[in-house]
Every structure is written in C-alpha cells, then in structure tokens.
mmCIF file of all heavy atoms in Angstrom:
data_model
loop_
_atom_site.group_PDB
_atom_site.id
_atom_site.type_symbol
_atom_site.label_atom_id
_atom_site.label_comp_id
_atom_site.label_asym_id
_atom_site.label_seq_id
_atom_site.Cartn_x
_atom_site.Cartn_y
_atom_site.Cartn_z
ATOM 1 N N VAL A 3 -59.015 30.429 -10.130
ATOM 2 C CA VAL A 3 -59.278 31.443 -9.077
ATOM 3 C C VAL A 3 -60.666 32.022 -9.269
ATOM 4 O O VAL A 3 -60.822 33.031 -9.927
ATOM 5 C CB VAL A 3 -58.189 32.537 -9.076
ATOM 6 C CG1 VAL A 3 -58.394 33.504 -7.924
ATOM 7 C CG2 VAL A 3 -56.805 31.910 -9.006
ATOM 8 N N GLY A 4 -61.695 31.363 -8.717
ATOM 9 C CA GLY A 4 -63.079 31.727 -9.006
ATOM 10 C C GLY A 4 -63.544 33.058 -8.492
ATOM 11 O O GLY A 4 -64.380 33.717 -9.132
ATOM 12 N N ALA A 5 -63.054 33.510 -7.364
ATOM 13 C CA ALA A 5 -63.520 34.776 -6.789
ATOM 14 C C ALA A 5 -63.178 35.935 -7.699
ATOM 15 O O ALA A 5 -63.990 36.835 -7.932
ATOM 16 C CB ALA A 5 -62.903 34.964 -5.395
ATOM 17 N N GLN A 6 -61.971 35.954 -8.212
ATOM 18 C CA GLN A 6 -61.554 37.021 -9.151
ATOM 19 C C GLN A 6 -62.424 36.993 -10.411
ATOM 20 O O GLN A 6 -62.914 38.035 -10.835
ATOM 21 C CB GLN A 6 -60.127 36.836 -9.565
ATOM 22 C CG GLN A 6 -59.090 37.279 -8.555
ATOM 23 C CD GLN A 6 -57.680 37.114 -9.120
ATOM 24 O OE1 GLN A 6 -57.374 36.127 -9.785
ATOM 25 N NE2 GLN A 6 -56.825 38.058 -8.825
ATOM 26 N N ASN A 7 -62.599 35.814 -10.956
ATOM 27 C CA ASN A 7 -63.345 35.692 -12.208
ATOM 28 C C ASN A 7 -64.782 36.131 -12.068
ATOM 29 O O ASN A 7 -65.321 36.826 -12.952
ATOM 30 C CB ASN A 7 -63.282 34.238 -12.709
ATOM 31 C CG ASN A 7 -61.886 33.813 -13.058
ATOM 32 O OD1 ASN A 7 -61.032 34.610 -13.364
ATOM 33 N ND2 ASN A 7 -61.633 32.502 -12.949
ATOM 34 N N ALA A 8 -65.436 35.725 -10.966
ATOM 35 C CA ALA A 8 -66.849 36.109 -10.756
ATOM 36 C C ALA A 8 -66.987 37.614 -10.576
ATOM 37 O O ALA A 8 -67.883 38.218 -11.133
ATOM 38 C CB ALA A 8 -67.389 35.360 -9.520
ATOM 39 N N PHE A 9 -66.064 38.208 -9.813
ATOM 40 C CA PHE A 9 -66.155 39.633 -9.584
ATOM 41 C C PHE A 9 -65.903 40.428 -10.893
ATOM 42 O O PHE A 9 -66.639 41.342 -11.221
ATOM 43 C CB PHE A 9 -65.097 40.047 -8.539
ATOM 44 C CG PHE A 9 -65.080 41.518 -8.242
ATOM 45 C CD1 PHE A 9 -66.089 42.122 -7.530
ATOM 46 C CD2 PHE A 9 -64.041 42.322 -8.720
ATOM 47 C CE1 PHE A 9 -66.081 43.480 -7.286
ATOM 48 C CE2 PHE A 9 -64.023 43.670 -8.470
ATOM 49 C CZ PHE A 9 -65.040 44.277 -7.751
ATOM 50 N N LEU A 10 -64.874 40.008 -11.630
ATOM 51 C CA LEU A 10 -64.576 40.679 -12.897
ATOM 52 C C LEU A 10 -65.678 40.530 -13.888
ATOM 53 O O LEU A 10 -66.054 41.503 -14.589
ATOM 54 C CB LEU A 10 -63.275 40.110 -13.473
ATOM 55 C CG LEU A 10 -62.860 40.658 -14.874
ATOM 56 C CD1 LEU A 10 -62.661 42.159 -14.830
ATOM 57 C CD2 LEU A 10 -61.606 39.946 -15.349
ATOM 58 N N PHE A 11 -66.287 39.363 -13.961
ATOM 59 C CA PHE A 11 -67.364 39.105 -14.901
ATOM 60 C C PHE A 11 -68.555 40.037 -14.657
ATOM 61 O O PHE A 11 -69.126 40.587 -15.581
ATOM 62 C CB PHE A 11 -67.804 37.638 -14.823
ATOM 63 C CG PHE A 11 -68.623 37.168 -15.968
ATOM 64 C CD1 PHE A 11 -68.141 37.235 -17.278
ATOM 65 C CD2 PHE A 11 -69.918 36.715 -15.765
ATOM 66 C CE1 PHE A 11 -68.892 36.806 -18.335
ATOM 67 C CE2 PHE A 11 -70.683 36.290 -16.822
ATOM 68 C CZ PHE A 11 -70.175 36.320 -18.099
ATOM 69 N N GLU A 12 -68.887 40.223 -13.371
ATOM 70 C CA GLU A 12 -69.990 41.104 -13.031
ATOM 71 C C GLU A 12 -69.681 42.559 -13.412
ATOM 72 O O GLU A 12 -70.525 43.228 -13.969
ATOM 73 C CB GLU A 12 -70.293 41.049 -11.530
ATOM 74 C CG GLU A 12 -71.422 41.951 -11.122
ATOM 75 C CD GLU A 12 -71.801 41.804 -9.649
ATOM 76 O OE1 GLU A 12 -71.304 40.860 -8.991
ATOM 77 O OE2 GLU A 12 -72.572 42.632 -9.149
ATOM 78 N N GLN A 13 -68.481 43.013 -13.153
ATOM 79 C CA GLN A 13 -68.111 44.381 -13.514
ATOM 80 C C GLN A 13 -68.117 44.556 -15.017
ATOM 81 O O GLN A 13 -68.464 45.618 -15.528
ATOM 82 C CB GLN A 13 -66.723 44.736 -12.933
ATOM 83 C CG GLN A 13 -66.652 44.702 -11.425
ATOM 84 C CD GLN A 13 -67.725 45.516 -10.743
ATOM 85 O OE1 GLN A 13 -68.512 44.988 -9.959
ATOM 86 N NE2 GLN A 13 -67.815 46.780 -11.077
ATOM 87 N N ALA A 14 -67.682 43.519 -15.728
ATOM 88 C CA ALA A 14 -67.638 43.612 -17.207
ATOM 89 C C ALA A 14 -69.042 43.665 -17.801
ATOM 90 O O ALA A 14 -69.298 44.424 -18.726
ATOM 91 C CB ALA A 14 -66.876 42.408 -17.767
ATOM 92 N N ILE A 15 -69.965 42.877 -17.222
ATOM 93 C CA ILE A 15 -71.348 42.881 -17.707
ATOM 94 C C ILE A 15 -71.949 44.286 -17.515
ATOM 95 O O ILE A 15 -72.656 44.810 -18.404
ATOM 96 C CB ILE A 15 -72.188 41.837 -16.953
ATOM 97 C CG1 ILE A 15 -71.762 40.423 -17.351
ATOM 98 C CG2 ILE A 15 -73.677 42.024 -17.243
ATOM 99 C CD1 ILE A 15 -72.458 39.314 -16.565
ATOM 100 N N LYS A 16 -71.657 44.891 -16.375
ATOM 101 C CA LYS A 16 -72.177 46.230 -16.115
ATOM 102 C C LYS A 16 -71.384 47.308 -16.845
ATOM 103 O O LYS A 16 -71.787 48.475 -16.816
ATOM 104 C CB LYS A 16 -72.113 46.500 -14.581
ATOM 105 C CG LYS A 16 -73.052 45.654 -13.770
ATOM 106 C CD LYS A 16 -72.956 46.033 -12.303
ATOM 107 C CE LYS A 16 -73.930 45.282 -11.443
ATOM 108 N NZ LYS A 16 -73.853 45.658 -10.003
ATOM 109 N N ARG A 17 -70.286 46.913 -17.459
ATOM 110 C CA ARG A 17 -69.362 47.853 -18.115
ATOM 111 C C ARG A 17 -68.940 48.942 -17.134
ATOM 112 O O ARG A 17 -68.925 50.136 -17.435
ATOM 113 C CB ARG A 17 -70.015 48.452 -19.367
ATOM 114 C CG ARG A 17 -70.325 47.435 -20.420
ATOM 115 C CD ARG A 17 -70.536 48.018 -21.792
ATOM 116 N NE ARG A 17 -70.659 46.954 -22.793
ATOM 117 C CZ ARG A 17 -70.618 47.170 -24.102
ATOM 118 N NH1 ARG A 17 -70.413 48.387 -24.575
ATOM 119 N NH2 ARG A 17 -70.746 46.177 -24.959
ATOM 120 N N HIS A 18 -68.551 48.461 -15.956
ATOM 121 C CA HIS A 18 -68.178 49.377 -14.868
ATOM 122 C C HIS A 18 -66.797 49.024 -14.334
ATOM 123 O O HIS A 18 -66.666 48.097 -13.514
ATOM 124 C CB HIS A 18 -69.234 49.300 -13.759
ATOM 125 C CG HIS A 18 -69.046 50.285 -12.650
ATOM 126 N ND1 HIS A 18 -69.010 51.651 -12.872
ATOM 127 C CD2 HIS A 18 -68.856 50.098 -11.307
ATOM 128 C CE1 HIS A 18 -68.806 52.272 -11.707
ATOM 129 N NE2 HIS A 18 -68.716 51.360 -10.754
ATOM 130 N N TYR A 19 -65.784 49.668 -14.864
ATOM 131 C CA TYR A 19 -64.407 49.450 -14.465
ATOM 132 C C TYR A 19 -63.905 47.998 -14.742
ATOM 133 O O TYR A 19 -63.014 47.518 -14.065
ATOM 134 C CB TYR A 19 -64.204 49.770 -12.973
ATOM 135 C CG TYR A 19 -64.496 51.174 -12.598
ATOM 136 C CD1 TYR A 19 -65.449 51.487 -11.622
ATOM 137 C CD2 TYR A 19 -63.810 52.237 -13.197
ATOM 138 C CE1 TYR A 19 -65.715 52.813 -11.284
ATOM 139 C CE2 TYR A 19 -64.064 53.570 -12.867
ATOM 140 C CZ TYR A 19 -65.032 53.857 -11.900
ATOM 141 O OH TYR A 19 -65.309 55.135 -11.576
ATOM 142 N N GLY A 20 -64.504 47.382 -15.734
ATOM 143 C CA GLY A 20 -64.082 46.020 -16.069
ATOM 144 C C GLY A 20 -62.649 45.976 -16.533
ATOM 145 O O GLY A 20 -61.875 45.122 -16.062
ATOM 146 N N TRP A 21 -62.242 46.875 -17.432
ATOM 147 C CA TRP A 21 -60.876 46.877 -17.955
ATOM 148 C C TRP A 21 -59.876 47.216 -16.826
ATOM 149 O O TRP A 21 -58.777 46.662 -16.763
ATOM 150 C CB TRP A 21 -60.720 47.845 -19.103
ATOM 151 C CG TRP A 21 -61.488 47.498 -20.333
ATOM 152 C CD1 TRP A 21 -62.550 48.155 -20.891
ATOM 153 C CD2 TRP A 21 -61.258 46.352 -21.179
ATOM 154 N NE1 TRP A 21 -62.989 47.506 -22.009
ATOM 155 C CE2 TRP A 21 -62.220 46.408 -22.211
ATOM 156 C CE3 TRP A 21 -60.365 45.275 -21.137
ATOM 157 C CZ2 TRP A 21 -62.293 45.421 -23.207
ATOM 158 C CZ3 TRP A 21 -60.419 44.314 -22.126
ATOM 159 C CH2 TRP A 21 -61.384 44.383 -23.132
ATOM 160 N N LEU A 22 -60.280 48.109 -15.951
ATOM 161 C CA LEU A 22 -59.423 48.503 -14.832
ATOM 162 C C LEU A 22 -59.183 47.315 -13.901
ATOM 163 O O LEU A 22 -58.058 47.037 -13.483
ATOM 164 C CB LEU A 22 -60.010 49.682 -14.073
ATOM 165 C CG LEU A 22 -59.268 50.135 -12.819
ATOM 166 C CD1 LEU A 22 -57.867 50.613 -13.174
ATOM 167 C CD2 LEU A 22 -60.030 51.240 -12.099
ATOM 168 N N MET A 23 -60.288 46.588 -13.571
ATOM 169 C CA MET A 23 -60.159 45.422 -12.727
ATOM 170 C C MET A 23 -59.286 44.346 -13.349
ATOM 171 O O MET A 23 -58.470 43.703 -12.678
ATOM 172 C CB MET A 23 -61.540 44.866 -12.379
ATOM 173 C CG MET A 23 -62.318 45.682 -11.379
ATOM 174 S SD MET A 23 -61.491 45.762 -9.749
ATOM 175 C CE MET A 23 -60.663 47.326 -9.882
ATOM 176 N N ALA A 24 -59.485 44.130 -14.647
ATOM 177 C CA ALA A 24 -58.673 43.127 -15.353
ATOM 178 C C ALA A 24 -57.221 43.520 -15.267
ATOM 179 O O ALA A 24 -56.343 42.650 -15.045
ATOM 180 C CB ALA A 24 -59.116 43.019 -16.801
ATOM 181 N N SER A 25 -56.917 44.795 -15.461
ATOM 182 C CA SER A 25 -55.515 45.267 -15.407
ATOM 183 C C SER A 25 -54.924 45.093 -13.997
ATOM 184 O O SER A 25 -53.779 44.697 -13.860
ATOM 185 C CB SER A 25 -55.455 46.735 -15.797
ATOM 186 O OG SER A 25 -55.933 46.931 -17.125
ATOM 187 N N ILE A 26 -55.719 45.352 -12.972
ATOM 188 C CA ILE A 26 -55.240 45.164 -11.595
ATOM 189 C C ILE A 26 -54.968 43.692 -11.310
ATOM 190 O O ILE A 26 -53.936 43.375 -10.674
ATOM 191 C CB ILE A 26 -56.274 45.732 -10.603
ATOM 192 C CG1 ILE A 26 -56.262 47.283 -10.660
ATOM 193 C CG2 ILE A 26 -55.985 45.242 -9.184
ATOM 194 C CD1 ILE A 26 -57.318 47.933 -9.813
ATOM 195 N N PHE A 27 -55.807 42.810 -11.779
ATOM 196 C CA PHE A 27 -55.571 41.369 -11.568
ATOM 197 C C PHE A 27 -54.325 40.922 -12.311
ATOM 198 O O PHE A 27 -53.559 40.109 -11.788
ATOM 199 C CB PHE A 27 -56.783 40.577 -12.072
ATOM 200 C CG PHE A 27 -58.022 40.780 -11.252
ATOM 201 C CD1 PHE A 27 -59.279 40.413 -11.727
ATOM 202 C CD2 PHE A 27 -57.949 41.271 -9.956
ATOM 203 C CE1 PHE A 27 -60.414 40.597 -10.968
ATOM 204 C CE2 PHE A 27 -59.083 41.456 -9.187
ATOM 205 C CZ PHE A 27 -60.323 41.093 -9.695
ATOM 206 N N ILE A 28 -54.118 41.446 -13.497
ATOM 207 C CA ILE A 28 -52.904 41.102 -14.279
ATOM 208 C C ILE A 28 -51.646 41.604 -13.597
ATOM 209 O O ILE A 28 -50.650 40.876 -13.453
ATOM 210 C CB ILE A 28 -53.014 41.675 -15.714
ATOM 211 C CG1 ILE A 28 -54.116 40.961 -16.484
ATOM 212 C CG2 ILE A 28 -51.679 41.555 -16.438
ATOM 213 C CD1 ILE A 28 -54.493 41.657 -17.784
ATOM 214 N N ILE A 29 -51.675 42.853 -13.132
ATOM 215 C CA ILE A 29 -50.533 43.422 -12.427
ATOM 216 C C ILE A 29 -50.259 42.661 -11.144
ATOM 217 O O ILE A 29 -49.090 42.398 -10.772
ATOM 218 C CB ILE A 29 -50.780 44.932 -12.126
ATOM 219 C CG1 ILE A 29 -50.822 45.728 -13.445
ATOM 220 C CG2 ILE A 29 -49.715 45.480 -11.186
ATOM 221 C CD1 ILE A 29 -51.267 47.164 -13.277
ATOM 222 N N SER A 30 -51.340 42.248 -10.447
ATOM 223 C CA SER A 30 -51.160 41.478 -9.201
ATOM 224 C C SER A 30 -50.484 40.139 -9.515
ATOM 225 O O SER A 30 -49.589 39.707 -8.779
ATOM 226 C CB SER A 30 -52.514 41.238 -8.534
ATOM 227 O OG SER A 30 -53.073 42.460 -8.111
ATOM 228 N N ASP A 31 -50.965 39.462 -10.561
ATOM 229 C CA ASP A 31 -50.332 38.205 -10.961
ATOM 230 C C ASP A 31 -48.853 38.410 -11.319
ATOM 231 O O ASP A 31 -47.997 37.604 -10.891
ATOM 232 C CB ASP A 31 -51.077 37.601 -12.171
ATOM 233 C CG ASP A 31 -52.361 36.918 -11.778
ATOM 234 O OD1 ASP A 31 -52.573 36.707 -10.581
ATOM 235 O OD2 ASP A 31 -53.145 36.563 -12.671
ATOM 236 N N ALA A 32 -48.609 39.440 -12.107
ATOM 237 C CA ALA A 32 -47.212 39.696 -12.530
ATOM 238 C C ALA A 32 -46.324 39.969 -11.337
ATOM 239 O O ALA A 32 -45.178 39.472 -11.256
ATOM 240 C CB ALA A 32 -47.187 40.847 -13.526
ATOM 241 N N LEU A 33 -46.814 40.754 -10.406
ATOM 242 C CA LEU A 33 -46.038 41.106 -9.218
ATOM 243 C C LEU A 33 -45.773 39.853 -8.361
ATOM 244 O O LEU A 33 -44.649 39.611 -7.928
ATOM 245 C CB LEU A 33 -46.782 42.140 -8.399
ATOM 246 C CG LEU A 33 -46.151 42.583 -7.066
ATOM 247 C CD1 LEU A 33 -44.748 43.166 -7.296
ATOM 248 C CD2 LEU A 33 -47.042 43.573 -6.336
ATOM 249 N N SER A 34 -46.818 39.067 -8.146
ATOM 250 C CA SER A 34 -46.681 37.890 -7.289
ATOM 251 C C SER A 34 -45.759 36.832 -7.924
ATOM 252 O O SER A 34 -44.913 36.244 -7.234
ATOM 253 C CB SER A 34 -48.079 37.283 -7.010
ATOM 254 O OG SER A 34 -47.957 36.217 -6.105
ATOM 255 N N MET A 35 -45.912 36.622 -9.240
ATOM 256 C CA MET A 35 -45.039 35.658 -9.913
ATOM 257 C C MET A 35 -43.574 36.122 -9.887
ATOM 258 O O MET A 35 -42.653 35.316 -9.660
ATOM 259 C CB MET A 35 -45.473 35.488 -11.391
ATOM 260 C CG MET A 35 -46.782 34.754 -11.579
ATOM 261 S SD MET A 35 -47.162 34.618 -13.356
ATOM 262 C CE MET A 35 -48.908 34.211 -13.267
ATOM 263 N N SER A 36 -43.361 37.426 -10.071
ATOM 264 C CA SER A 36 -41.998 37.958 -10.072
ATOM 265 C C SER A 36 -41.382 37.849 -8.688
ATOM 266 O O SER A 36 -40.212 37.476 -8.563
ATOM 267 C CB SER A 36 -42.006 39.426 -10.550
ATOM 268 O OG SER A 36 -42.480 39.521 -11.863
ATOM 269 N N LEU A 37 -42.146 38.143 -7.666
ATOM 270 C CA LEU A 37 -41.637 38.005 -6.305
ATOM 271 C C LEU A 37 -41.305 36.527 -6.014
ATOM 272 O O LEU A 37 -40.302 36.247 -5.342
ATOM 273 C CB LEU A 37 -42.692 38.483 -5.280
ATOM 274 C CG LEU A 37 -42.902 39.985 -5.231
ATOM 275 C CD1 LEU A 37 -44.074 40.326 -4.308
ATOM 276 C CD2 LEU A 37 -41.634 40.704 -4.769
ATOM 277 N N GLY A 38 -42.119 35.632 -6.554
ATOM 278 C CA GLY A 38 -41.843 34.215 -6.391
ATOM 279 C C GLY A 38 -40.522 33.819 -7.057
ATOM 280 O O GLY A 38 -39.760 33.045 -6.536
ATOM 281 N N ALA A 39 -40.290 34.398 -8.246
ATOM 282 C CA ALA A 39 -39.049 34.101 -8.978
ATOM 283 C C ALA A 39 -37.847 34.620 -8.206
ATOM 284 O O ALA A 39 -36.741 34.050 -8.310
ATOM 285 C CB ALA A 39 -39.117 34.693 -10.347
ATOM 286 N N PHE A 40 -38.039 35.666 -7.449
ATOM 287 C CA PHE A 40 -36.949 36.237 -6.650
ATOM 288 C C PHE A 40 -36.754 35.495 -5.312
ATOM 289 O O PHE A 40 -35.857 35.815 -4.531
ATOM 290 C CB PHE A 40 -37.195 37.710 -6.347
ATOM 291 C CG PHE A 40 -36.837 38.637 -7.489
ATOM 292 C CD1 PHE A 40 -37.788 39.428 -8.080
ATOM 293 C CD2 PHE A 40 -35.528 38.696 -7.947
ATOM 294 C CE1 PHE A 40 -37.444 40.316 -9.130
ATOM 295 C CE2 PHE A 40 -35.169 39.549 -8.981
ATOM 296 C CZ PHE A 40 -36.148 40.334 -9.564
ATOM 297 N N GLY A 41 -37.629 34.493 -5.062
ATOM 298 C CA GLY A 41 -37.489 33.703 -3.888
ATOM 299 C C GLY A 41 -38.401 34.025 -2.727
ATOM 300 O O GLY A 41 -38.312 33.413 -1.670
ATOM 301 N N PHE A 42 -39.347 34.939 -2.950
ATOM 302 C CA PHE A 42 -40.267 35.315 -1.867
ATOM 303 C C PHE A 42 -41.244 34.195 -1.518
ATOM 304 O O PHE A 42 -41.805 34.159 -0.471
ATOM 305 C CB PHE A 42 -41.051 36.589 -2.224
ATOM 306 C CG PHE A 42 -40.283 37.860 -1.971
ATOM 307 C CD1 PHE A 42 -39.322 38.290 -2.846
ATOM 308 C CD2 PHE A 42 -40.533 38.605 -0.839
ATOM 309 C CE1 PHE A 42 -38.588 39.448 -2.607
ATOM 310 C CE2 PHE A 42 -39.834 39.773 -0.582
ATOM 311 C CZ PHE A 42 -38.845 40.212 -1.449
ATOM 312 N N GLY A 43 -41.430 33.250 -2.474
ATOM 313 C CA GLY A 43 -42.319 32.123 -2.209
ATOM 314 C C GLY A 43 -41.792 31.279 -1.056
ATOM 315 O O GLY A 43 -42.573 30.788 -0.227
ATOM 316 N N TYR A 44 -40.480 31.157 -0.944
ATOM 317 C CA TYR A 44 -39.874 30.410 0.147
ATOM 318 C C TYR A 44 -40.096 31.139 1.485
ATOM 319 O O TYR A 44 -40.262 30.491 2.513
ATOM 320 C CB TYR A 44 -38.394 30.201 -0.091
ATOM 321 C CG TYR A 44 -38.081 29.299 -1.278
ATOM 322 C CD1 TYR A 44 -37.518 29.787 -2.427
ATOM 323 C CD2 TYR A 44 -38.413 27.929 -1.227
ATOM 324 C CE1 TYR A 44 -37.250 28.965 -3.511
ATOM 325 C CE2 TYR A 44 -38.177 27.092 -2.292
ATOM 326 C CZ TYR A 44 -37.571 27.625 -3.435
ATOM 327 O OH TYR A 44 -37.329 26.800 -4.489
ATOM 328 N N LEU A 45 -40.131 32.467 1.419
ATOM 329 C CA LEU A 45 -40.386 33.269 2.629
ATOM 330 C C LEU A 45 -41.783 32.998 3.122
ATOM 331 O O LEU A 45 -42.012 32.824 4.322
ATOM 332 C CB LEU A 45 -40.167 34.745 2.357
ATOM 333 C CG LEU A 45 -40.522 35.707 3.474
ATOM 334 C CD1 LEU A 45 -39.629 35.470 4.692
ATOM 335 C CD2 LEU A 45 -40.416 37.169 3.013
#
C-alpha cells in the first residue's frame, strides 16, 4: 500500500505526527481486518 507508506515516511522524516499516523494506520488495518472476519467483506 504505497500511498500510506509514502505519506507516513514524509511525516516521520519531519518528525511531525509520525507516531500518530502510524497508530491510525494500524487501527484502520485492525478495524478493517476485524470487520472482514465478521463477514463485512462479503457485503
């Protein structure tokens, strides 16, 4: 997923909300995977 990585990398270089962005991406992944496990992927 290149768009996420490029955006996060720039924020990390600038040391500007890098950890926050990483956490948001992780939470988004966790939420989406969990919804998929509950069957939302079929929806």
Side-chain angles (χ1 to χ4, degrees):
V3 184
Q6 283 183 320
N7 296 335
F9 179 73
L10 175 60
F11 195 60
E12 179 176 350
Q13 297 309 122
I15 291 175
K16 292 181 177 182
R17 298 199 173 193
H18 186 59
Y19 299 122
W21 293 114
L22 177 61
M23 284 298 97
S25 298
I26 288 175
F27 292 161
I28 292 167
I29 292 171
S30 295
D31 280 350
L33 177 61
S34 186
M35 289 180 198
S36 298
L37 289 174
F40 280 119
F42 278 79
Y44 293 112
L45 175 63

